[in-house]
Amino acid sequence: MSRNIIEVNDLTKKYDELVAVDSISFDVKEGEIFSLVGPNGAGKTTTVEILECLRKPTSGNARVLGHDVKNEDEKIKKKIGVMPQDFNTFERLTAEENIKLMGDLYGSDNVKEIMRKVGVDKFKNKKFDDLSGGMKTKVGIGMTLISNADLLFLDEPTTGLDPHARRETWNLIKDLKKMGKTVFLTTHYMEEVEYLSDRAGILINGKIEVIDSIENLIEEHGGGIKVKVLEDGEAVDIINDRADEVLRGEDTWTGIFDNKKEARQALIKLFQLDAKVEVEEAGMDEVFLRLTGGKIDEGGELV
Amino acid sequence: MKRAFSLFLSLTKNWLRSKSGVFFSILFPIMLLLIFSTVFGGQEAAEYTLHVQNDDLVDGNETELSEEFIEALDSSESLNVKEVDNITEDRQDRSFGSYRALRIEEGFHEQAKNKSIELRMKVIQNTTQYMDEQGEEINLDDFTAESAEIVLMLSEDDQAGPMVKGTVYGVINSFNSRMLGLEEGDTTVDITEESHKERGLHPVDYYLPGFIAAFIMSNGIIGVTSNISEYKRNGVLKRLTATPLKKRDWILANVGQQTVLAFGLTAVMILVAVLIFDAQAYPGPYAIGLIFMGAVAFCSVGIVLGGLIKDVEAASGAGNAIAFPMMFLSGAFIPIETMPDYLQTVARFLPLYYFHQGLREIMILQNPSEALLAYLIIGIFAMIFIVLAIKTTRWKDI
Ligand SMILES: Nc1ncnc2c1ncn2[C@@H]1O[C@H](COP(=O)(O)OP(=O)(O)OP(=O)(O)O)[C@@H](O)[C@H]1O
Ligand SMILES: [Mg+2]
């Protein structure tokens, strides 16, 4: 396998009494998209910002590109690209001016090329303040990319974006991987983890519950069949009676069946009722549910 | 250095494109300067103070005629007489407003009296000569006398000079006819006019350095404080700390931006003051040096406050709470001589006091040597706060 680009050992961060990150250990490998996923307040940003040398760890250690985060800030900062959570930049500078500023800070001048790559050139002369959320994210990724760094940190890059902009951002992140970048992503969208990452860690209350490749996670903790019922009534009773676990959506009920036979029988019943159903293979949602007994809602809260 | 410069450009552009930023940093100061110079500039024109030194004393008392003459001057509508012991000394104590003075020379009473006798004799002689044409010659002994002397001192470019002079001549005329009963055209008093080199300074000449200093101060203490805490709140600072930019680049860029703003403000203020109020400002290298140090000093205070105070409202509140009292107490707007003694003492503890006084000495009075204390105090102040800015700006765990 490729080499470790980030190594985290027993890392702990306390804010006074609050243990935000609780002796976590993990590695990130060169060239992969790694996701740290967890609900609000899990400690994602704290972890990422320790790696970016923006916060001091309380104990434990971490190496980024071979450098110690505790005392090699300068070396690390030159070699990484960062997009902080709720990222912001000079509001009255244009998209291009903001990217150019970053270029100057990193000593690179391929502004045009970067703008083209991330699709900023169409609105490069608009002030940052006047951009939509999706456009801002593109500028943010452009500002990260112009570091010419091989390791990029994106802290919740798609939070708050509409589905279309989120899709676009996903494609952009996939492109980053194609450019050979290693991407460290945080998110609370399971769909995003599944679609983008090679490996993921689930972080809850400052602790890593599990960490593995997406395939392994799904194979070990997911698997099974998801049957989603789109209407109330008898169909829901069938799901409640037969499924191993039930996830409630706004007006949908999703039954997860570990056993394919069970799932088939339930489906036959449902079809006899002529109920509206969707069938999917279970993914990260179920992995998360199985491991934590909960789910993360759209706002990032654990429910 | 290149990073700091690039950030400086970005900060400046971002500021220039903010309407409220530009308004409060440049337009608002200019509006105040216009208002102050117009409103308080008009007051002086109603009555001109004439400083009078009366040298015509007998046993330490003013002679009758000199006293009458002074009274006549004082009762004229446009003059307000202020008697002083010594014009030269008195003049040194005040720097602003044109100094207008008049000295009544020794012997005024005697000479005025004698001269009037001579003039009246002449009248009589003329009459007798006319009689002589018809008869015998009447010969009167020639009686000649020196004129009484006064010296009128006005500054060369005192715009009210001709008007003051006219009033003084008018007073002499009526003095001659009323007091001494002379005919029109005859005079007992010789006026020597002296013009002193001292420039006539207008109220705007006081306000100009005061406003420049006060607003460089407030741009630093109010503007920088709230900018920095805002950059902290909205995440721009975090975005910057996540790059190879160093803390000293950040401080340098902010100080650079404030310095440029300070020079810009100074230039515009001087331009307005000169064009509209005929102010006399000479911004040379000494002024530039002091303005630079002031901008650095007060910007550093802003960096310290913005760095220490988390909440944006609290930060700008703190900036206002420091800057506004300092503006008024330091005498930047109102000369501290007009304040109670204890407030004058307070003023001398405020850096802004030295800043505007120093600037006035250099830029208006062209006395850079008088500004040494200002250089020293603002210089030390700047150094202390630069160090504090470096110490209190957090580049981690913000
Ligand atoms: N500067 C700070 N001072 C004190 N407590 C903090 C600080 N930053 C974070 N915390 C606390 O540490 C915990 C972890 O916060 P963190 O921001 O790392 O979570 P997160 O996983 O990024 O959450 P989110 O999804 O909301 O961004 C939270 O309880 C938070 O309140
Ligand atoms: Mg976070």
Side-chain angles (χ1 to χ4, degrees):
Chain A
M1 255 314 260
S2 42
R3 69 181 179 111
N4 290 339
I5 207 163
I6 297 175
E7 294 173 339
V8 178
N9 264 307
D10 246 356
L11 195 69
T12 297
K13 173 76 179 181
K14 292 183 188 167
Y15 299 108
D16 299 321
E17 291 301 293
L18 178 87
V19 185
V21 171
D22 195 354
S23 62
I24 58 172
S25 303
F26 63 93
D27 300 326
V28 174
K29 296 180 189 344
E30 191 169 24
E32 71 177 354
I33 298 183
F34 177 85
S35 293
L36 205 53
V37 55
N40 292 339
K44 303 181 295 291
T45 298
T46 303
T47 305
V48 169
E49 293 196 352
I50 289 172
L51 299 177
E52 295 162 353
C53 302
L54 300 186
R55 303 191 195 201
K56 282 196 202 89
T58 310
S59 65
N61 57 58
R63 299 187 83 79
V64 172
L65 296 152
H67 304 293
D68 191 339
V69 296
K70 273 179 283 187
N71 47 35
E72 294 182 280
D73 304 31
E74 270 181 40
K75 286 184 188 146
I76 293 174
K77 282 183 178 178
K78 275 184 196 151
K79 293 190 196 167
I80 62 172
V82 171
M83 180 159 141
Q85 181 170 7
D86 299 325
F87 131 87
N88 201 355
T89 187
F90 292 105
E91 303 174 324
R92 287 177 292 271
L93 295 195
T94 64
E96 181 174 14
E97 285 167 338
N98 272 303
I99 294 176
K100 166 122 188 3
L101 168 65
M102 284 295 133
D104 290 343
L105 297 185
Y106 286 95
S108 58
D109 57 7
N110 47 342
V111 180
K112 291 233 157 57
E113 182 199 335
I114 297 293
M115 288 199 300
R116 193 159 23 78
K117 270 187 189 159
V118 297
V120 165
D121 31 7
K122 276 151 266 162
F123 51 86
K124 63 178 182 184
N125 292 324
K126 270 195 164 184
K127 285 189 197 136
F128 185 74
D129 211 18
D130 299 338
L131 300 178
S132 71
M135 289 167 165
K136 283 183 176 171
T137 305
K138 285 181 185 170
V139 175
I141 292 178
M143 287 169 68
T144 308
L145 209 51
I146 199 157
S147 62
N148 290 334
D150 293 325
L151 172 60
L152 308 178
F153 291 91
L154 309 176
D155 193 358
E156 297 197 21
T158 63
T159 300
L161 295 186
D162 61 67
H164 173 75
R166 186 172 295 168
R167 273 283 153 194
E168 279 195 322
T169 308
W170 286 359
N171 292 337
L172 208 51
I173 294 171
K174 286 243 171 194
D175 288 344
L176 297 179
K177 183 180 154 88
K178 279 183 213 141
M179 292 175 212
K181 312 277 181 192
T182 307
V183 180
F184 190 124
L185 190 73
T186 73
T187 182
H188 41 66
Y189 301 119
M190 292 305 154
E191 210 187 344
E192 183 165 306
V193 177
E194 204 173 318
Y195 180 73
L196 288 177
S197 28
D198 300 302
R199 290 166 66 248
I202 293 178
L203 189 68
I204 310 258
N205 284 328
K207 290 199 177 76
I208 292 198
E209 297 287 328
V210 67
I211 189 160
D212 211 332
S213 67
I214 302 301
E215 293 100 80
N216 288 349
L217 285 173
I218 292 177
E219 197 170 304
E220 278 173 36
H221 307 281
I225 306 277
K226 259 198 319 195
V227 179
K228 191 192 259 181
V229 179
L230 305 170
E231 59 190 21
D232 209 341
E234 253 180 277
V236 178
D237 298 337
I238 294 170
I239 292 292
N240 280 332
D241 288 348
R242 297 180 176 244
D244 295 297
E245 304 211 47
V246 180
L247 283 173
R248 272 212 61 171
E250 219 160 272
D251 26 47
T252 62
W253 289 258
T254 306
I256 300 166
F257 297 83
D258 295 344
N259 186 308
K260 286 194 179 169
K261 234 184 232 165
E262 281 287 318
R264 183 142 22 99
Q265 281 173 357
L267 275 172
I268 292 168
K269 291 256 176 207
L270 288 168
F271 289 145
Q272 282 170 348
L273 281 174
D274 212 11
K276 271 191 227 141
V277 293
E278 279 173 9
V279 184
E280 261 177 57
E281 231 181 312
M284 281 302 291
D285 269 332
E286 288 67 50
V287 174
F288 191 84
L289 180 73
R290 295 252 166 87
L291 285 167
T292 66
K295 125 183 217 271
I296 301 176
D297 70 10
E298 183 64 17
E301 297 298 335
L302 188 62
V303 289
Chain B
M1 210 46 192
K2 189 174 176 265
R3 290 190 188 118
F5 182 70
S6 182
L7 179 61
F8 152 79
L9 286 181
S10 299
L11 285 170
T12 307
K13 259 190 236 165
N14 199 53
W15 170 80
L16 270 176
R17 289 176 195 167
S18 141
K19 289 189 188 75
S20 68
V22 173
F23 175 78
F24 280 110
S25 316
I26 296 213
L27 295 180
F28 181 62
I30 288 172
M31 276 167 46
L32 278 192
L33 180 70
L34 290 175
I35 292 168
F36 268 66
S37 299
T38 310
V39 173
F40 300 109
Q43 256 177 14
E44 214 215 11
E47 230 183 13
Y48 300 97
T49 300
L50 185 67
H51 300 84
V52 176
Q53 174 184 337
N54 189 352
D55 282 350
D56 191 27
L57 303 174
V58 173
D59 302 332
N61 294 323
E62 291 183 348
T63 57
E64 194 192 326
L65 280 181
S66 66
E67 211 177 341
E68 304 264 17
F69 180 59
I70 291 171
E71 257 164 42
L73 285 171
D74 203 16
S75 61
S76 79
E77 248 169 51
S78 54
L79 291 184
N80 168 31
V81 168
K82 185 165 177 265
E83 286 201 62
V84 296
D85 290 338
N86 187 315
I87 289 168
T88 326
E89 276 171 20
D90 189 59
R91 186 165 68 210
Q92 273 160 4
D93 290 348
R94 67 199 68 229
S95 319
F96 292 93
S98 289
Y99 195 83
R100 309 175 181 108
L102 184 144
R103 188 172 66 233
I104 300 175
E105 302 285 34
E106 208 184 331
F108 178 88
H109 177 92
E110 274 305 306
Q111 284 160 354
K113 210 166 182 174
N114 289 341
K115 189 71 182 174
S116 74
I117 293 172
E118 177 199 320
L119 290 168
R120 270 186 279 179
M121 298 273 279
K122 279 219 176 92
V123 174
I124 295 166
Q125 201 161 28
N126 286 347
T127 318
T128 52
Q129 265 166 15
Y130 169 76
M131 287 162 67
D132 186 46
E133 277 165 23
Q134 284 136 18
E136 65 200 285
E137 187 175 334
I138 301 165
N139 210 350
L140 285 168
D141 282 333
D142 269 20
F143 184 95
T144 58
E146 305 254 319
S147 294
E149 306 242 1
I150 61 172
V151 181
L152 179 63
M153 286 170 274
L154 297 170
S155 64
E156 274 166 2
D157 57 358
D158 180 359
Q159 285 170 324
M163 133 99 199
V164 170
K165 201 160 88 181
T167 308
V168 171
Y169 275 93
V171 169
I172 288 172
N173 271 340
S174 66
F175 173 77
N176 284 330
S177 57
R178 217 156 35 81
M179 296 303 304
L180 304 168
L182 295 183
E183 290 190 2
E184 207 154 325
D186 286 340
T187 181
T188 57
V189 183
D190 255 5
I191 302 186
T192 313
E193 283 171 32
E194 271 179 18
S195 65
H196 47 97
K197 286 189 298 299
E198 229 170 36
R199 291 170 299 124
L201 295 174
H202 309 290
V204 68
D205 295 315
Y206 187 86
Y207 295 132
L208 182 62
F211 274 65
I212 291 173
F215 282 98
I216 288 174
M217 184 278 295
S218 77
N219 284 340
I221 296 185
I222 300 177
V224 175
T225 305
S226 53
N227 283 348
I228 287 193
S229 63
E230 177 63 16
Y231 284 142
K232 246 167 57 178
R233 186 195 62 78
N234 69 14
V236 172
L237 185 58
K238 172 166 275 178
R239 184 68 196 84
L240 293 170
T241 61
T243 70
L245 189 81
K246 296 197 184 68
K247 185 160 85 174
R248 57 144 209 266
D249 298 325
W250 164 249
I251 292 175
L252 212 59
N254 274 285
V255 168
Q257 196 230 326
Q258 283 303 305
T259 307
V260 168
L261 171 57
F263 287 138
L265 176 70
T266 306
V268 180
M269 292 274 250
I270 290 179
L271 202 69
V272 169
V274 168
L275 291 182
I276 301 183
F277 297 105
D278 196 24
Q280 323 210 351
Y282 301 86
Y286 294 111
I288 291 174
L290 190 61
I291 287 170
F292 172 70
M293 293 198 309
V296 172
F298 292 112
C299 173
S300 303
V301 175
I303 296 176
V304 171
L305 289 177
L308 286 178
I309 304 172
K310 263 216 145 91
D311 183 58
V312 179
E313 261 80 59
S316 72
N320 285 309
I322 296 172
F324 279 108
M326 175 135 74
M327 264 187 196
F328 291 101
L329 293 176
S330 69
F333 297 165
I334 324 134
I336 64 165
E337 286 75 27
T338 63
M339 297 182 191
D341 281 351
Y342 71 96
L343 283 183
Q344 296 196 22
T345 314
V346 172
R348 283 177 230 278
F349 280 99
L350 300 172
L352 181 58
Y353 169 76
Y354 298 94
F355 191 24
H356 76 76
Q357 289 286 5
L359 211 51
R360 190 170 296 111
E361 290 294 349
I362 297 169
M363 221 168 67
I364 308 292
L365 304 172
Q366 290 184 281
N367 263 338
S369 57
E370 289 289 312
L372 283 179
L373 186 62
Y375 268 109
L376 197 70
I377 287 176
I378 301 299
I380 291 172
F381 186 69
M383 279 193 288
I384 291 174
F385 273 89
I386 273 280
V387 171
L388 285 178
I390 295 167
K391 292 258 179 253
T392 55
T393 300
R394 293 171 67 150
W395 215 237
K396 233 178 184 179
D397 281 307
I398 50 172

